[in-house]
Amino acid sequence: MKQLQILCQQEEKKLSQLGLQKTTAQQQISRIEQQKQQLGQMISDYSQANSRCASAMLLQNNAQMCQVIEPMLKQLTRKQLLLQQEQQRVHGLWRKQLGRQQSIQWLYNERVQQHRQLQQKQEQKQLDDLAARYVRA
């Protein structure tokens, strides 16, 4: 029974670690989404500045900035997709681990309950035996 209790604790620890991985991935995805929005806003700002700009040098600067920012945006999008795939993978592992942990916990609780019932039966038998001795005496 002690081994089953240790196994329960190990499974809970694994579940906790997977939960932490899920949370970390979600936070990274959120940060990337914010960065993408900021880069998108920068591209929008530079593009709008082109329509108001009369100087050829400023037009060229704005165009170059957009050319620099766009690959960064694409790279963040790729990174975000990879993180989302990893998060889905970890979520699947977490769900399996949750099922495993709950099953082992259920088995442990069943064994504890069976052990208690056996102890109660033994105690009742001892009490019945004692009562029978007193009745005969």
Side-chain angles (χ1 to χ4, degrees), residues 100-115:
R100 179 176 167 80
Q101 184 270 334
Q102 288 177 336
S103 296
I104 292 171
Q105 185 69 44
W106 177 85
L107 179 61
Y108 173 73
N109 290 337
E110 280 293 309
R111 295 279 168 86
V112 166
Q113 187 174 349
Q114 289 171 359
H115 183 71

Side-chain angles (χ1 to χ4, degrees), residues 24-43 69 72-73 76-77 79-81 83-84:
T24 301
Q26 183 56 49
Q27 290 170 344
Q28 289 175 332
I29 291 169
S30 295
R31 274 196 305 273
I32 287 174
E33 187 60 38
Q34 289 173 348
Q35 291 171 348
K36 283 175 54 179
Q37 287 176 358
Q38 290 170 347
L39 289 176
Q41 185 61 47
M42 288 173 71
I43 289 172
I69 295 171
M72 293 168 62
L73 190 57
L76 281 176
T77 300
K79 188 175 181 181
Q80 183 181 27
L81 289 173
L83 278 170
Q84 287 171 337

Side-chain angles (χ1 to χ4, degrees), residues 75-134:
Q75 183 181 12
L76 281 176
T77 300
R78 279 193 299 273
K79 188 175 181 181
Q80 183 181 27
L81 289 173
L82 289 173
L83 278 170
Q84 287 171 337
Q85 290 172 350
E86 176 63 12
Q87 183 188 32
Q88 289 173 353
R89 185 188 72 80
V90 170
H91 181 70
L93 291 173
W94 181 84
R95 286 178 56 112
K96 286 179 185 176
Q97 183 63 30
L98 178 63
R100 179 176 167 80
Q101 184 270 334
Q102 288 177 336
S103 296
I104 292 171
Q105 185 69 44
W106 177 85
L107 179 61
Y108 173 73
N109 290 337
E110 280 293 309
R111 295 279 168 86
V112 166
Q113 187 174 349
Q114 289 171 359
H115 183 71
R116 280 191 199 130
Q117 288 173 347
L118 181 62
Q119 282 182 325
Q120 288 174 348
K121 285 180 183 178
Q122 289 173 345
E123 289 172 4
Q124 188 61 47
K125 186 177 183 312
Q126 288 174 350
L127 289 174
D128 291 346
D129 289 347
L130 276 174
R133 285 185 198 160
Y134 285 117

Side-chain angles (χ1 to χ4, degrees), residues 38-48 65-66 69-71 73:
Q38 290 170 347
L39 289 176
Q41 185 61 47
M42 288 173 71
I43 289 172
S44 176
D45 291 347
Y46 282 118
S47 296
Q48 289 176 3
M65 286 302 293
C66 287
I69 295 171
E70 285 172 359
L73 190 57

